[in-house]
Amino acid sequence: RKGIILEDILEDYDEVVPRDNTLLNDPEISIELVGGFDVNAHAIAYLGTLAARRLDQGSQKAMTMLLNELRPVAIVFVGLHDLDDIDPRDSTLLQLMNEAFKTLSRITHACNGAVRDMLFDDKGCVFISVFGAHSHEVNPCFDATVSAMRMESALKDLNLKRFSLGVSFGECFCGEVGPSMRSDYVVMGPEVNLAARLMGKAPNRSTLVSKRIFTNSKKFIHFEKSEEIQVKGKDGFFHAYIPQTRIDRQSVEINDPQQPFVIMPSRQSAMDSLLEVKNRASKSVPTIAFVSGGPFLGKSRLINEVAGNADGFRILKSFRTSLDSFTSFFPLRQIVSGAMIMCAAQVHPSGDDVGNEIAAANFLVDQNIFNKTDRVNIGSIVPTVADAQLLSLLSGLNPKARTRSIVDSLMKILKLLQPLIIILEGDGDIDPSSWSLLAELMQRASLECPQIMLIVSSRDSPTITSAASNLRRNAIQVKLAPFEKYETGEFLRVLLKVKDRKTTIDQRLLDVVHDRANGCPLFIECVARWALAKNMIEFVEGTKKVNLKLLDERSDDVTAAIPRELSNILLAPFNKLSPPLWDVLKIASCIGYSFDADLYSTLNKVLEFMPKVRELSAKYDCFEQTGSHFRWKQQAVYEAVKSLLMVNQRQKIHKMIVRAFEQSKINSHIDDIKGGDVRRLLGRHCALAEDWAGACEQYMRAGDRAKAMFNFNEASKMYEEAIDFQAKMSEQPSLRSRMIPTINLGTCLRELARYKEAEAVLTRCLNETKGECAEIALDEELFVRALTALAALYQAQSKYDAARRLFERAVPIARNIQESRSSLWLAENIAGYAETLRKSGDLPQAERHHREALEIRTRAVEEKSCTDLELAVSYTQLGCTLAGMRQYKEAYEQHHNALGLRYRYLDFSHGLVSESLNYCAESLCALGRGGEGIPLALHAVQIRRLIFGTSHPAYAHALSVLASCYHAVNRYFDACDCLEKCLEICEVAFQKNHANIIPNLMNYGNVLR
């Protein structure tokens, strides 16, 4: 039973003599290697137990883990009721039982499981298998369910009339029990009992699985809910589930070839699909392809092969990791930077490279390819090309409008580069903002940039947001699988340069290479190269075979010399590395698959980190460089190095990185340009070092930066991370420390129009602030922030009375605690209150407060604590208030001031410029100068149609103003057309009887009259 003792016993014999030597020497019966021993193929089924599997892993050093553990395990019970009353003299029934055992065992092993037992007990003849007790690399629920489905089918093929199966999943004790001289490896726990009871309740010739199995497998398998059942040990009745059929989905875990590209049958279909995408693009049919498959499986090599042979196409590539899913537009950052540089070089008279993305953006503006608005839009993706002042002008744009505006700018350069292939590689998720942008890009490509091909590669099928669901239409799906064994043989022939078809690859060589490489091209090459370097492969002229060479004439166990742990092969080229280079290699594996040299230059003082990275790149080909970014050349090597480190070693490395950042003053230029990246990555290192307070602080700062740049999706994720890390702190943080990230999260959710979530967060925050402040001294500034954040949310929801009550509590406190008369914080609170007063109808009070806010902002501009763009906000708000009071002349003057300021920084097509144009036209119309307002209103309509689309309320408002101008000069039919379009939009955008519909209905009635 216990494999170690069995091995000790066998070592006491010089020779193991089988009972039937003739049978085992039969050349037609294959001999296979099990645990280091040649074993007859018929006996293998009896050795594949759970204990034997664990012993086999230990002997091969494939895993290092404690035997006794609490592990999540899936258990399959098979009740073979035809065999319950077996008669030992019934040879037919005995043969059936033997066939059933062998069949069920093979299915178990094929599904990554292990046999626990086949026994007779109070439930009759029962076969038990377990999944997940010997490996962390599989999905035990899925494996167990597929195994049960195959077992059910196989037992039907064996013509068993009575059988049933039960499957359950949960935490169980896995380990050794019993004395050392006769111990056993067992799996015990409530889930084992549940699987047995589900087997007892299952219909004849059918399977029942638990809810946990269903939950963890429903993405891959169709299930049918059973009738309610009740079992011993469970209270009440519950539904089990009956597995039906597989969902066509694939998930694999292998590697990536480096030898000259060889098309194998399993790759031919994938290659044909990508070539079809390329052909469509060349015929002006923009198409997207999703390439998925496990790590190291050859996705990049396949894509590069297609791209490398796409004559005439320009290539733009980016790479992302799982860390980058927090950063809005990160997958597009390298794409857009490369596109600007490429476009600038194409337009440049000499065709010279213009340098970096900043120089390219400047050149494109000088050449009138980009305007000032384009620079701001591109700055949303590539922060280096726009400063914070320009990016602040994005305020007020909703996410959809912002996406359209960015695509407008991108199209100006992409259409000059077509035919074009855009490749987004990586193993991490793509953020929602990038999905929305890609959807808008592909939707408009057919008219504006038709010769474009988009390839998105990932380990699993990408999770596309609902806003980008149109990308799935007409998309090409490509999934890669490992090589079959015969393909491994063909690839070996290429690697070993065996051209003569009469020369064969020895079966044992093929078996051992395929077994070690798991059908992965890169690992096949690694194994073959390692064996050649060890002089283990030889060509035998007489037999015309390529064989494994015997290293030790006293042993024929040559296959044991080739390590199973592929890390040994992958890391063999680095055996001569000096200890300092090994240190850098390990630290780089902790940092991640890719990293920015500028960000990690802080490690240079302590370790000379980046110089050594460059040395590893030049001498050992470990990394490849694009600008300041480095990435591992082979992901397999990266993961092999990472696997060398233990948890406590990783923690120490991350603590060292954090200390290096803290001890060095981060270059102010890098902090300005890459501040969000610096803070996010430093927060990650703090978290991995279990410095929860440091992680919280860094994620807060990353969130603040993203919020300031109006990346509210990214900011909300950063604040959520900060809140999560606060919960892990051993000492509870102060009230202010807890509430600030929560208030900021609520504000971001409001900006994203996630009102219900925002209200829940902010209401809870206000209640907690009031509750704790009742017991201790009131933190007045924090209380004001909580009040005004919730008030702003109520205002956005048109709950003006509730918003007004909150502002009336907040503003007096803000006045008392704010000593400076140029405080933008105070001006913001007063202006927010004034807007609520205006929208609730108290216009005189709104005017008074808006003038006060304008005075404060004017002082701030004079003191140079802010830009004069702050004044444009106050001018606009005051102008709207005066218009409501019918003071149209001064309202026009205020809106005209705002228009002048905005146009100074932006061009004519920006959304904020259109807002001021709209309000100026409205004021002119009210002054009886409707004819002068028509050209302004026409521009506003055109800009808003491009930015917001033809179904947005902002476009409807512009149409309403234009209609008023037409009406003022007696162009009734034109006014009628505009108002009809406006009302069509409003009826869809707003709920029934919404306040925004009423003025348009009244205007429509006046026009008709």
Side-chain angles (χ1 to χ4, degrees):
R1 289 265 185 154
K2 188 176 180 183
I4 296 175
I5 294 174
L6 174 63
E7 193 170 327
D8 292 339
I9 293 171
L10 291 175
E11 286 178 353
D12 292 336
Y13 292 87
D14 294 330
E15 184 178 3
V16 179
V17 181
R19 226 178 244 185
D20 189 346
N21 194 49
T22 305
L23 176 62
L24 293 185
N25 288 328
D26 187 340
E28 295 184 2
I29 298 177
S30 63
I31 302 296
E32 299 192 23
L33 193 73
V34 176
F37 294 92
D38 289 334
V39 179
N40 179 272
H42 289 329
I44 289 175
Y46 299 94
L47 294 178
T49 63
L50 179 57
R53 176 72 69 90
R54 291 297 288 257
L55 170 65
D56 191 43
Q57 292 169 340
S59 66
Q60 296 163 15
K61 299 180 181 177
M63 288 189 179
T64 55
M65 63 178 76
L66 296 174
L67 277 177
N68 294 352
E69 303 163 312
L70 285 175
R71 301 184 56 144
V73 174
I75 307 99
V76 177
F77 268 67
V78 185
L80 304 169
H81 307 309
D82 281 350
L83 308 176
D84 288 350
D85 301 317
I86 191 168
D87 185 344
R89 294 168 294 183
D90 188 339
S91 59
T92 302
L93 208 54
L94 285 173
Q95 181 63 30
L96 179 61
M97 182 178 70
N98 198 46
E99 287 298 322
F101 175 78
K102 289 194 295 183
T103 300
L104 298 180
S105 296
R106 287 169 183 157
I107 292 172
T108 298
H109 301 152
C111 295
N112 296 314
V115 178
R116 172 63 194 93
D117 269 314
M118 185 169 181
L119 49 81
F120 288 85
D121 61 10
D122 59 324
K123 293 176 284 294
C125 182
V126 179
F127 178 91
I128 308 170
S129 58
V130 295
F131 299 81
H134 61 273
S135 171
H136 289 291
E137 303 301 322
V138 296
N139 177 350
C141 291
F142 171 71
D143 290 342
T145 309
V146 170
S147 177
M149 294 166 66
R150 292 180 181 177
M151 287 176 178
E152 182 182 321
S153 176
L155 293 174
K156 288 176 180 177
D157 291 342
L158 289 174
N159 293 319
L160 266 73
K161 304 301 181 186
R162 295 181 300 124
F163 65 86
S164 58
L165 297 92
V167 189
S168 185
F169 171 74
E171 195 171 69
C172 299
F173 170 82
C174 306
E176 292 182 5
V177 296
S180 59
M181 66 181 297
R182 198 190 186 288
S183 62
D184 196 4
Y185 189 90
V186 300
V187 176
M188 298 188 299
E191 295 301 326
V192 178
N193 299 334
L194 180 58
R197 285 157 190 162
L198 287 172
M199 175 194 72
K201 291 289 184 178
N204 186 36
R205 308 186 89 195
S206 186
T207 304
L208 284 183
V209 306
S210 68
K211 187 173 183 179
R212 285 181 178 175
I213 291 284
F214 164 74
T215 301
N216 288 285
S217 303
K218 63 185 179 181
K219 292 183 179 179
F220 311 100
I221 296 172
H222 293 292
F223 288 90
E224 178 183 305
K225 188 181 287 188
S226 75
E227 298 292 332
E228 285 192 333
I229 60 173
Q230 186 176 27
V231 300
K232 182 180 177 182
K234 294 284 183 181
D235 295 332
F237 289 84
F238 64 93
H239 291 286
Y241 297 85
I242 304 170
Q244 301 294 311
T245 57
R246 287 279 300 276
I247 296 173
D248 185 17
R249 189 170 300 180
Q250 190 171 330
S251 178
V252 289
E253 295 272 337
I254 324 283
N255 222 288
D256 196 43
Q258 296 297 313
Q259 202 65 15
F261 192 73
V262 180
I263 289 288
M264 294 295 167
S266 62
R267 298 292 189 272
Q268 187 63 57
S269 175
M271 174 64 79
D272 292 344
S273 297
L274 290 180
L275 290 175
E276 174 61 23
V277 175
K278 187 196 73 172
N279 291 336
R280 287 187 190 181
S282 63
K283 296 176 182 177
S284 299
V285 181
T287 310
I288 184 170
F290 296 114
V291 181
S292 61
F296 330 135
L297 203 55
K299 301 185 293 294
S300 297
R301 188 65 191 274
L302 181 68
I303 293 169
N304 291 341
E305 187 69 18
V306 173
N309 293 314
D311 295 336
F313 278 80
R314 289 186 170 89
I315 314 297
L316 293 171
K317 290 180 66 175
S318 72
F319 186 87
R320 67 192 182 279
T321 69
S322 57
L323 302 176
D324 304 319
S325 60
F326 285 134
T327 305
S328 297
F329 302 119
F330 185 90
L332 298 166
R333 193 174 291 181
Q334 289 176 273
I335 299 292
V336 176
S337 296
M340 288 193 296
I341 293 170
M342 198 179 288
C343 185
Q346 177 177 315
V347 175
H348 199 281
S350 64
D352 294 338
D353 189 350
V354 296
N356 58 25
E357 69 275 9
I358 300 174
N362 291 335
F363 179 78
L364 293 173
V365 171
D366 293 341
Q367 297 297 313
N368 294 321
I369 295 172
F370 274 170
N371 55 40
K372 288 178 284 186
T373 300
D374 297 323
R375 187 173 192 132
V376 176
N377 291 332
I378 295 299
S380 300
I381 302 174
V382 187
T384 52
V385 304
D387 58 28
Q389 180 177 347
L390 287 175
L391 289 173
S392 70
L393 299 172
L394 295 170
S395 176
L397 282 180
N398 68 21
K400 289 185 180 179
R402 183 184 179 200
T403 299
R404 292 192 189 98
S405 185
I406 293 172
V407 173
D408 286 340
S409 302
L410 280 178
M411 283 299 185
K412 293 181 179 180
I413 54 175
L414 295 183
K415 65 185 180 183
L416 299 177
L417 300 177
Q418 59 179 328
L420 182 64
I421 298 177
I422 296 177
I423 303 169
L424 283 75
E425 289 188 283
D427 57 0
D429 292 332
I430 292 178
D431 63 279
S433 299
S434 294
W435 278 128
S436 298
L437 193 146
L438 292 173
E440 180 73 16
L441 178 67
M442 294 305 290
Q443 187 173 354
R444 291 169 51 178
S446 57
L447 295 177
E448 300 177 54
C449 185
Q451 290 184 301
I452 189 170
M453 166 183 175
L454 181 61
I455 302 176
V456 179
S457 76
S458 57
R459 291 190 176 184
D460 300 309
S461 295
T463 304
I464 300 176
T465 60
S466 58
S469 57
N470 66 296
L471 288 175
R472 291 200 179 279
R473 299 188 208 119
N474 302 320
I476 301 295
Q477 300 283 349
V478 177
K479 294 184 179 181
L480 300 188
F483 277 179
E484 298 290 340
K485 184 177 282 190
Y486 75 92
E487 292 178 308
T488 298
E490 290 300 312
F491 194 50
L492 271 175
R493 296 180 69 90
V494 174
L495 295 173
L496 300 175
K497 299 180 180 179
V498 179
K499 298 180 180 179
D500 186 359
R501 299 305 300 181
K502 294 180 180 179
T503 301
T504 60
I505 304 293
D506 179 66
Q507 186 63 39
R508 189 164 56 153
L509 171 60
L510 176 58
D511 288 345
V512 73
V513 171
H514 188 73
D515 173 58
R516 267 51 168 183
N518 291 325
C520 164
L522 174 61
F523 283 169
I524 293 169
E525 181 184 350
C526 288
V527 172
R529 186 174 292 167
W530 184 90
L532 282 170
K534 296 288 186 180
N535 199 28
M536 293 175 61
I537 297 178
E538 63 178 358
F539 172 66
V540 182
E541 186 67 41
T543 61
K544 287 282 186 178
K545 279 188 177 182
V546 178
N547 292 334
L548 276 173
K549 181 180 178 182
L550 301 184
L551 296 180
D552 185 349
E553 297 298 334
R554 295 171 297 175
S555 171
D556 61 353
D557 190 17
V558 66
T559 57
I562 297 181
R564 279 185 174 273
E565 187 59 64
L566 284 169
S567 297
N568 296 340
I569 300 174
L570 292 168
L571 299 178
F574 308 114
N575 284 335
K576 296 182 180 180
L577 281 187
S578 65
L581 288 178
W582 263 116
D583 289 344
V584 168
L585 209 59
K586 290 177 180 178
I587 291 167
S589 76
C590 277
I591 290 173
Y593 185 58
S594 63
F595 50 91
D596 191 322
D598 293 338
L599 299 182
Y600 288 97
S601 60
T602 53
L603 297 176
N604 290 347
K605 293 180 181 178
V606 181
L607 298 166
E608 296 185 355
F609 180 71
M610 288 314 305
K612 286 186 171 66
V613 166
R614 291 185 174 89
E615 181 181 349
L616 286 166
S617 180
K619 293 183 179 179
Y620 298 93
D621 204 26
C622 294
F623 305 99
E624 57 187 12
Q625 182 179 2
T626 304
S628 65
H629 284 84
F630 284 80
R631 59 179 278 194
W632 289 76
K633 197 71 174 279
Q634 296 180 12
Q635 188 162 348
V637 174
Y638 157 66
E639 300 212 1
V641 173
K642 190 168 66 171
S643 70
L644 298 175
L645 296 170
M646 294 183 292
V647 172
N648 62 336
Q649 290 175 310
R650 292 195 188 101
Q651 284 187 0
K652 290 178 180 177
I653 288 174
H654 289 296
K655 287 179 181 177
M656 181 198 68
I657 293 172
V658 172
R659 282 197 304 272
F661 272 96
E662 290 173 346
Q663 291 170 3
S664 66
K665 294 181 179 179
I666 300 173
N667 182 285
S668 58
H669 175 69
I670 293 177
D671 200 24
D672 287 341
I673 300 302
K674 302 181 180 180
D677 292 339
V678 171
R679 302 305 167 191
R680 177 172 54 83
L681 292 174
L682 187 51
R684 169 180 171 266
H685 289 303
C686 288
L688 292 172
E690 296 191 2
D691 176 7
W692 310 125
C696 176
E697 179 188 354
Q698 296 302 330
Y699 276 111
M700 272 291 296
R701 295 176 70 173
D704 292 343
R705 181 178 174 84
K707 182 168 169 276
M709 296 175 68
F710 307 97
N711 284 339
F712 295 110
N713 268 315
E714 179 182 340
S716 64
K717 290 179 181 178
M718 295 296 100
Y719 291 132
E720 286 171 349
E721 290 289 313
I723 293 168
D724 288 343
F725 289 128
Q726 280 184 343
K728 296 181 179 181
M729 294 182 192
S730 55
E731 295 183 6
Q732 187 180 32
S734 66
L735 176 65
R736 170 175 283 271
S737 298
R738 296 200 313 274
M739 292 301 104
I740 294 299
T742 308
I743 292 171
N744 290 346
L745 173 60
T747 302
C748 292
L749 294 173
R750 184 198 76 213
E751 293 288 350
L752 294 169
R754 292 159 61 179
Y755 294 135
K756 288 185 178 179
E757 297 171 69
E759 185 168 357
V761 168
L762 293 173
T763 302
R764 185 177 67 249
C765 181
L766 181 59
N767 291 337
E768 190 172 344
T769 303
K770 287 193 296 185
E772 292 209 16
C773 287
E775 301 173 6
I776 58 175
L778 178 66
D779 186 336
E780 292 180 321
E781 184 182 353
L782 179 65
F783 188 51
V784 169
R785 291 186 68 166
L787 286 169
T788 54
L790 185 57
L793 173 64
Y794 285 151
Q795 181 181 306
Q797 295 175 287
S798 302
K799 299 177 181 178
Y800 301 123
D801 290 340
R804 181 170 180 169
R805 287 194 296 272
L806 292 174
F807 271 122
E808 286 172 350
R809 296 169 63 188
V811 172
I813 302 174
R815 293 185 196 278
N816 290 335
I817 64 176
Q818 188 55 251
E819 297 178 358
S820 172
R821 297 305 298 164
S822 61
S823 167
L824 292 177
W825 177 74
L826 178 59
E828 183 181 348
N829 286 325
I830 294 172
Y833 178 39
E835 279 296 281
T836 300
L837 290 170
R838 178 177 73 85
K839 293 180 180 180
S840 63
D842 193 348
L843 297 176
Q845 289 294 324
E847 179 193 4
R848 183 169 69 84
H849 284 86
H850 271 312
R851 290 191 186 280
E852 182 183 0
L854 177 58
E855 289 174 6
I856 296 173
R857 284 174 167 146
T858 302
R859 281 193 292 271
V861 171
E862 291 171 353
E863 294 173 6
K864 297 184 178 180
S865 60
C866 70
T867 67
D868 49 4
L869 277 172
E870 285 286 340
L871 299 178
V873 177
S874 276
Y875 288 146
T876 301
Q877 292 173 337
L878 180 57
C880 291
T881 304
L882 292 168
M885 300 173 69
R886 300 181 180 278
Q887 299 179 25
Y888 299 118
K889 184 176 180 181
E890 187 180 358
Y892 173 69
E893 291 173 357
Q894 299 294 343
H895 288 308
H896 193 269
N897 289 338
L899 177 61
L901 284 173
R902 286 170 171 172
Y903 185 62
R904 185 186 306 171
Y905 289 93
L906 297 171
D907 55 68
F908 212 54
S909 61
H910 194 275
L912 293 177
V913 174
S914 76
E915 179 184 69
S916 294
L917 287 169
N918 213 38
Y919 284 132
C920 284
E922 192 172 38
S923 299
L924 287 169
C925 184
L927 288 169
R929 297 159 61 184
E932 297 176 51
I934 288 175
L936 303 182
L938 283 169
H939 279 298
V941 167
Q942 180 68 10
I943 294 169
R944 290 194 169 188
R945 184 181 67 81
L946 292 174
I947 293 177
F948 297 101
T950 56
S951 59
H952 196 276
Y955 177 62
H957 183 229
L959 288 171
S960 176
V961 172
L962 179 59
S964 297
C965 293
Y966 281 147
H967 189 202
V969 296
N970 302 323
R971 292 173 60 176
Y972 302 116
F973 289 106
D974 290 333
C976 189
D977 288 342
C978 289
L979 284 168
E980 286 174 354
K981 292 177 183 176
C982 172
L983 287 168
E984 286 178 8
I985 296 169
C986 291
E987 287 171 357
V988 174
F990 301 116
Q991 60 189 16
K992 189 176 181 180
N993 299 325
H994 194 278
N996 288 353
I997 300 178
I998 295 172
N1000 295 314
L1001 286 171
M1002 293 175 65
N1003 290 340
Y1004 188 45
N1006 291 333
V1007 170
L1008 291 175
R1009 188 174 60 184

